[in-house]
Each structure stands twice: as C-alpha cells, then as structure tokens.
Amino acid sequence: MPAELVCFEENCRARFAISEVLYNCRHCGGLLEARYDPPEQSALMLKRLWRERRTSNLPLDQSGVWRYREFIPFLPGYNCVVTLREGNTPLLESRQAAQYGGLDRLVFKHQGFNPTGSFKDNGMTCGTAQALRLGMTRVACVSTGNTSASMAAYASAAGLQPIIFIPHGNISYGKLAQALEYGARTLQVEANFDQILALVRQLAERLGIYLLNSINPFRIEGQKTIMTEMLDQRDWRVPDWVVLPGGNLGNTAAFGKALREMKQLGLIGRLPRLAIIQAEGAAPFYELMRRRRGKRAPRLAPVEHPETLATAIKIGDPVSWPKARHEVTASGGVVEKVTEQEIADAKAVIGRSGIGCEPASAATLAGIRKLTATGVMAADADVVAVLTGNVLKDPDYIYRYHTGSLDAPNGRPIQSNFGNQPVIVPNNAERIAAIIGS
Ligand code: F0G
C-alpha cells in the first residue's frame, strides 16, 4: 500500500483509500492522516536529492513543497500539481527580537514570504492537487483570512471554482482583498469561525464541494514541508525549540507529524520541542494542556466567544486539537498564552528589526519572552520561531498601534510602547529641516 488515509484515534486506526473524499473517520469520527511506506532512498540520498533540486528550473523542483515530494507521496503522478513557487521562505536572524525575547540568538522562519503571504500556501498547493486528482470542480473553506486568500489563488490557478466563507467584519482587509482579487465567490457570514465551519461541513457534503480547511489531511502534508525546508536550510541541525502560534492547530499537527516522520526516516536524530502560543482571549488549547496534569486526557473545552485583535487565531474550537495534543506531548513541548499588549509590542519589535509580520505571528516572540522569563526556555537555547503571515496582511492594526489608537477587544487601549508616529509637516523646507534636525 503506497499511501492511505488512517484514523488518528489510537483505539480505531481505521484505514481508507487515499482517493476517498473524506475528512473524518467513517467509524469513529476521528481526524484522518496520510500514511505511507518509507521511501526507497536512504536519508543521505534524500538530503542530496533535495539539495540538488535547488539548482533546477523545473517548476516542481522550484517549489519549496514539491522539492520534498518523497516526503509527501500521496499523488500517483504530478500532472495535477499547480505551484506558485510556494515555500522557499527564508531563515532570518534578529538581534533585536532575540534581546527582547530574552535569548542570545533568535531565528525566524518567515512564512510571510510565500506567494499569498502566509504559510497556508504550503498546504494549499497540496490540497488543490488532491482536489484535481479527485475530479472536483469546486473547493471551499472557512477562514479567518489567510486560508481563503491562499485557496482563492491556488484554486483559480488550477481552474477550480473557489468558494470562501468568512466571519463578517472579522477579517483584515488585506486578506479579504486578496480573496476578491483572486476571484473567489466570497460569502461573509454573520457568525464566528467555529460556527461557520460547522455550517460549511454540512454544505460541502450536500453540494459536492471539496473542503480545503486544515481538517483536510493533504493540507497538513503540505505544511509538513515547512519543517523539512527549515532543517534543510540548517544543514539538518535540529533546533532546541520550534515556536509557533496556535489557532485551529493545523500547523501544530503538521509540524509534529513532519518532525516525527523525519526522525523515523533518519533525517534527524531527535525532535525539537514545540512551543505553541495562543492569544489570551482564544486559548482553549492552553487551558486543555494546563488541565492535562490532573485528569487523564480531558477533552478540549471550546471558548464560545473567542476574542483577539490577532484575528487569524481568533478560534475557540480548534479542529485539530487531538493531533496537536499528541504532537506537543511527543515533543516534550509547552503551550503558553499571551495578552493583546504583549502581542502588539512583540510585533512592533519584529517590525523594527526590518522583518515585520502580522499580529498572530508576533505571538511567537511574546511567548518566547514569557518562556525565558519563567526559565522554561534557556537564554542560550537554539530557537526557531515561525512567522506565519506577512506584515501587509493587516495594515490597519499597524497604523492604529503606531498612532496610539489601537484598542483591545475589551475596549482597553493598547499602549504604543514602541510607537512610531508619522508627523504632519507644512510645505516649507526651513520648518522641515528644523523638525528633522531636532
Ligand atoms: N498565523 C496565521 C497568520 C494564520 O492565518 C493562522 C491560521 C495561524 C497562525 C494559526 O494556524 O490554525 O494552523 O493553528 N489561520 C487560519 C485561516 C485559521 O483561516 O486563515 P493554525
């Protein structure tokens, strides 16, 4: 069996054909994941092959996802792949951010350098390939913005019709604008992300539309390559920590699976610890992992009205929590939560170092600062933080922060501790020279 879908639930493990249109186990309702036989090549051969492909002009090799295709072998062939040259995102070191986070060194894996500006592109190239392989014509997703922007682009590029569902008034204009520009049928629903996901899951089945939320196991396969590329870029030196924001927890599931599989294949010798950071007002996974100590395996208690200005992670009932719990535990990882003020300040620090990111991404640095302060993370630890989205995704937030007009969801003003006010000046060289001089 070269590739199959397997139920993630330990006491079920039902198996299904890789070409079934299925998002949950038909027996127990559990999450599904793709499983494969190990590749023919040795770890050393794979490393060489993947490195060589960086000099190739073949679209498939130029993709930072499909370059690692032996690691995600769910397709019988590659004619249905549409690539916008996703992945290929840099590792960027920031001295200022390291200092702010209480670390000697800090490196960001910046997924905002993707074609639509977020890590969703890594997964979406795989999701759309699978949609084409299954003969689907329409694809749908619910989104806090980035998934919809990415799906709109990839589906349109693939000749599929994208239909997106977004919480009305709760996504940034940068993301909404992308969906419109890339030609998605855009439905703004008067409900929150979790409510809309339940709605769309019913509709997808009824209308025969392929669902491309991160519940889709092929999206997870694509997002695995973020970790593969990161390690390839580090010449396979494993960091001590990988830090990422947690929303619907698809990325946590993907990174954990990738790291475990790379260890099984002998590509790496040990696992880095995962640190998942949530926004205080939308932190059901943080609460779950905190409660874990007492009872045995409690279920996640959804947050009914999640609140955060980091709208990308404004999710109260994350779908992938069982996978995420497994991955955090397997890696000896931690979950932390951070305030709106902490996110806003961390974001400005990342911006000042010339890197920039969207609010949800900055939760990583805010979390690192807390984890070093409490001694969980050592100052000399080797840390890679994943910036999930581009700085231009949410310009309104930036303008408000720097001009002192950003309010938290509870109405309390956010202090612009690292504010950078623009100055209005008259059309007068003398006066301007005086202002700049001072
Ligand atoms: N960061 C950004 C910029 C995101 O857009 C998301 C998720 C996350 C972090 C959280 O990742 O869900 O895998 O835990 N955005 C989704 C969307 C939900 O619809 O665009 P996760």
Side-chain angles (χ1 to χ4, degrees):
M1 190 71 200
E4 58 184 1
L5 287 172
V6 180
C7 175
F8 189 75
E9 288 301 316
E10 221 172 301
N11 48 12
C12 178
R13 296 281 194 245
R15 293 153 66 172
F16 306 94
I18 198 83
S19 51
E20 282 211 47
V21 179
L22 203 59
Y23 315 104
N24 284 97
C25 174
R26 213 177 277 127
H27 300 300
C28 76
L31 297 166
L32 297 173
E33 67 173 9
R35 286 269 183 94
Y36 321 101
D37 289 338
E40 292 159 17
Q41 299 93 333
S42 69
L44 194 67
M45 283 162 72
L46 287 173
K47 288 179 184 177
R48 271 204 204 126
L49 178 66
W50 294 341
R51 189 57 65 89
E52 271 164 26
R53 283 184 185 152
R54 287 201 201 174
T55 57
S56 161
N57 278 330
L58 269 184
L60 212 56
D61 292 343
Q62 287 187 340
S63 161
V65 171
W66 298 104
R67 179 179 308 137
Y68 304 102
R69 51 195 174 270
E70 290 77 10
F71 191 56
I72 50 169
F74 60 89
L75 291 173
Y78 295 96
N79 329 342
C80 54
V81 168
V82 172
T83 170
L84 298 173
R85 309 302 187 272
E86 54 288 326
N88 297 305
T89 62
L91 288 177
L92 305 171
E93 183 168 357
S94 166
R95 286 231 314 274
Q96 296 97 314
Q99 194 183 21
Y100 182 80
L103 290 171
D104 299 343
R105 275 195 71 202
L106 177 58
V107 170
F108 291 115
K109 171 77 173 153
H110 204 327
Q111 292 301 111
F113 281 61
N114 259 297
T116 78
S118 84
F119 71 95
K120 306 290 180 179
D121 295 343
N122 285 65
M124 211 49 83
T125 185
C126 292
T128 43
Q130 181 70 6
L132 287 173
R133 176 233 192 129
L134 296 172
M136 309 302 277
T137 54
R138 297 192 291 181
V139 289
C141 69
V142 192
S143 180
T144 55
N146 279 324
T147 301
S148 52
S150 181
M151 192 191 82
Y154 280 83
S156 290
L160 296 161
Q161 190 196 355
I163 307 169
I164 67 167
F165 297 79
I166 50 179
H168 182 43
N170 268 301
I171 81 167
S172 70
Y173 269 119
K175 299 172 188 178
L176 176 58
Q178 284 181 290
L180 300 177
E181 186 80 357
Y182 296 137
R185 190 82 199 278
T186 303
L187 308 171
Q188 307 193 78
V189 188
E190 287 166 331
N192 71 26
F193 177 90
D194 308 299
Q195 295 161 331
I196 306 171
L197 184 55
L199 182 81
V200 172
R201 285 178 71 164
Q202 287 175 23
L203 280 171
E205 209 157 312
R206 194 152 109 200
L207 304 176
I209 302 171
Y210 193 55
L211 200 55
L212 281 177
N213 273 95
S214 59
I215 193 168
N216 183 307
F218 304 98
R219 285 250 337 259
I220 301 291
E221 289 306 293
Q223 286 170 214
K224 278 181 1 189
T225 62
I226 299 168
M227 287 295 98
T228 318
E229 185 179 76
M230 178 271 287
L231 283 156
D232 188 3
Q233 288 165 323
R234 290 170 51 102
D235 298 318
W236 303 94
R237 268 184 310 107
V238 180
D240 298 321
W241 291 92
V242 172
V243 187
L244 65 153
N248 216 15
L249 301 172
N251 230 11
T252 306
F255 288 10
K257 184 173 193 268
L259 294 161
R260 280 187 297 108
E261 289 177 349
M262 283 191 278
K263 185 161 173 270
Q264 277 157 18
L265 295 179
L267 290 159
I268 53 175
R270 65 178 174 91
L271 299 178
R273 300 175 73 183
L274 294 177
I276 313 304
I277 318 297
Q278 296 209 288
E280 193 177 57
F285 188 52
Y286 168 82
E287 292 301 336
L288 173 78
M289 297 305 271
R290 210 171 53 89
R291 283 191 294 132
R292 176 183 52 158
R293 258 160 232 144
K295 283 182 249 157
R296 238 187 99 241
R299 291 188 65 77
L300 178 129
V303 172
E304 208 174 325
H305 300 292
E307 285 295 357
T308 170
L309 295 178
T311 49
I313 51 173
K314 188 173 167 180
I315 294 177
D317 192 6
V319 169
S320 291
W321 70 263
K323 288 184 176 179
R325 176 170 65 189
H326 177 80
E327 302 307 349
V328 169
T329 307
S331 80
V334 298
V335 186
E336 187 52 276
K337 65 174 181 180
V338 290
T339 65
E340 295 297 306
Q341 183 70 53
E342 287 168 332
I343 293 175
D345 287 338
K347 178 171 143 53
V349 171
I350 296 168
R352 262 198 199 182
S353 59
I355 292 174
C357 65
E358 69 164 282
S361 310
T364 53
L365 180 59
I368 288 168
R369 187 171 159 95
K370 270 185 103 164
L371 291 170
T372 55
T374 51
V376 175
M377 191 178 274
D380 63 352
D382 182 356
V383 182
V384 175
V386 179
L387 298 180
T388 44
N390 191 282
V391 68
L392 286 176
K393 287 281 188 176
D394 198 349
D396 187 56
Y397 180 108
I398 301 177
Y399 183 78
R400 285 176 189 270
Y401 176 85
H402 287 290
T403 54
S405 57
L406 187 65
D407 291 336
N410 62 8
R412 255 188 237 136
I414 301 229
Q415 305 301 314
S416 41
N417 294 326
F418 298 89
N420 182 19
Q421 283 267 4
V423 188
I424 300 168
V425 293
N427 182 12
N428 179 311
E430 287 309 313
R431 302 259 302 273
I432 291 174
I435 289 166
I436 294 173
S438 69

